[in-house]
C-alpha cells in the first residue's frame, strides 16, 4: 500500500530529525569502531604460556625464560602478528592450574597455548608438609582441565610439554623419588596429549642428551629450574612444535 501524503511527510520529517540531531553520524561511528575492533582481533594471534615460568613477576612481563625467547623469535619473524601472554606461576601444580582455568585461559581466549607442569606435583610431596599430586590424580585433573578448555574454546591449539628433571643440588637428596615420579607425570602428560589429539613436546630426552656436552647444572641450575641455556633448549622444541601446528 502507498503512503498518504501526510504520512509520507511525517516519515521524511522523522528521518530529517535524525540527521539534524547527528543520530546517524553516531551510529555510523559506532559501527566503524566495532568493525575496527573485530579486525584487530583477527590480525593478532594470541599465544599464552602456562606453567614452568619461574621469573615472571607480572602479567605484562614475559620473564627471562623460554616464553621471552619464543616471543623474541616470533616477534622478529613477523612483527605485530602475535600477542604473548605469560600466565606461568612458580611452584604451581596441576591443581593450581585448574583453579585458574577461567581467569587465565578461558577469559583470555588464546589461539595457541602451551602447558608445562608436573615436577612441582612431585617436589611438593617431599617437604615437611607434603602437598603433592599423585600420578593418577595428576592425570584426572589434567584431563578435566583440557576438556573444559576445549569445550569453551573449540578452536584453540594446545601444546603439552613434558616435565623434566636432572640430578643436582635440589634433587640429589631425594633423587630416587624424582627419577621415578617425574617420569610418571611425564607419561600421564603424554597420555593426555594422545587422548585429546594434542601436540606433545618431549623435553627429558633433550636434557639427557645435552648432559653429554655439559654437566646437569649447566642446563638446569638446581636440577629443576632451567638456566638460559636450558631455556634455549625448551624454546627450540617449542618453536618446532609451533611451526608444525600453524
Amino acid at each position: 500500500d502507498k503512503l498518504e501524503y501526510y504520512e509520507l511527510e511525517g516519515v521524511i520529517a522523522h528521518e530529517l530529525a535524525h540527521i539534524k540531531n547527528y543520530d546517524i553520524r553516531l551510529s555510523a561511528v559506532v559501527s566503524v569502531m566495532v568493525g575496527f575492533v573485530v579486525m584487530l582481533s583477527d590480525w593478532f594471534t594470541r599465544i599464552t604460556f602456562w606453567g614452568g615460568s619461574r621469573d615472571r613477576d607480572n602479567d605484562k612481563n614475559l620473564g627471562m625464560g623460554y616464553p621471552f625467547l619464543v616471543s623474541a623469535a616470533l616477534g622478529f619473524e613477523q612483527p605485530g602478528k602475535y600477542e604473548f601472554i605469560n600466565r606461568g606461576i612458580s611452584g604451581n601444580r596441576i591443581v593450581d592450574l585448574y583453579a585458574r582455568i577461567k581467569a587465565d585461559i578461558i577469559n583470555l581466549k588464546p589461539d595457541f597455548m602451551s602447558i608445562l607442569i608436573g615436577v612441582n606435583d612431585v617436589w611438593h610431596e617431599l617437604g615437611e608438609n607434603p602437598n603433592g599430586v599423585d600420578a593418577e590424580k595428576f592425570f584426572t585433573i589434567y584431563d578435566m582441565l583440557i576438556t573444559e578448555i576445549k569445550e569453551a574454546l573449540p578452536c584453540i591449539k594446545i601444546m603439552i610439554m613434558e616435565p623434566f628433571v636432572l640430578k643436582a643440588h635440589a634433587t640429589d637428596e631425594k633423587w630416587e623419588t624424582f627419577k621415578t615420579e617425574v617420569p610418571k607425570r611425564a607419561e600421564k602428560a603424554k597420555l593426555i596429549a594422545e587422548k585429546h589429539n594434542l601436540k606433545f613436546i618431549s623435553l627429558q630426552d633433550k636434557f639427557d642428551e645435552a648432559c653429554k656436552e655439559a654437566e646437569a647444572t649447566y642446563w638446569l641450575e638446581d636440577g629443576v629450574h632451567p638456566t638460559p641455556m636450558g631455556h634455549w633448549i625448551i624454546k627450540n622444541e617449542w618453536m618446532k612444535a609451533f611451526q608444525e601446528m600453524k
Side-chain angles (χ1 to χ4, degrees), residues 28-46:
V29 169
V30 171
S31 298
V32 170
M33 293 301 294
V34 169
F36 184 66
V37 170
V38 171
M39 288 174 63
L40 280 178
S41 66
D42 290 337
W43 289 345
F44 291 105
T45 296
R46 178 172 290 175

Side-chain angles (χ1 to χ4, degrees), residues 49 51-57 61-73 86 116 161 221 225-236 238:
F49 304 95
S53 225
R54 184 186 186 190
D55 298 323
R56 184 182 68 84
D57 56 13
N61 185 352
L62 290 171
M64 296 303 292
Y66 71 90
F68 176 80
L69 297 174
V70 168
S71 69
N86 182 6
L116 175 55
M161 306 174 74
E221 62 182 74
H225 298 105
T227 63
M229 291 69 71
H231 279 295
W232 190 265
I233 291 175
I234 301 171
K235 183 272 294 184
N236 287 343
W238 195 103

Side-chain angles (χ1 to χ4, degrees), residues 139 143 146 150 160 186-200:
F139 178 85
D143 189 34
I146 297 300
K150 292 183 70 176
I160 303 295
E187 180 185 1
K188 298 300 184 184
K190 187 174 184 179
L191 288 174
I192 289 294
E194 292 172 351
K195 177 177 180 179
H196 294 276
N197 195 28
L198 306 176
K199 191 70 177 177
F200 182 73

Side-chain angles (χ1 to χ4, degrees), residues 59-91:
D59 294 333
K60 294 183 179 180
N61 185 352
L62 290 171
M64 296 303 292
Y66 71 90
F68 176 80
L69 297 174
V70 168
S71 69
L74 290 179
F76 177 79
E77 290 177 3
Q78 294 181 290
K81 177 176 175 56
Y82 300 102
E83 178 187 12
F84 304 96
I85 301 175
N86 182 6
R87 291 301 198 191
I89 296 179
S90 179

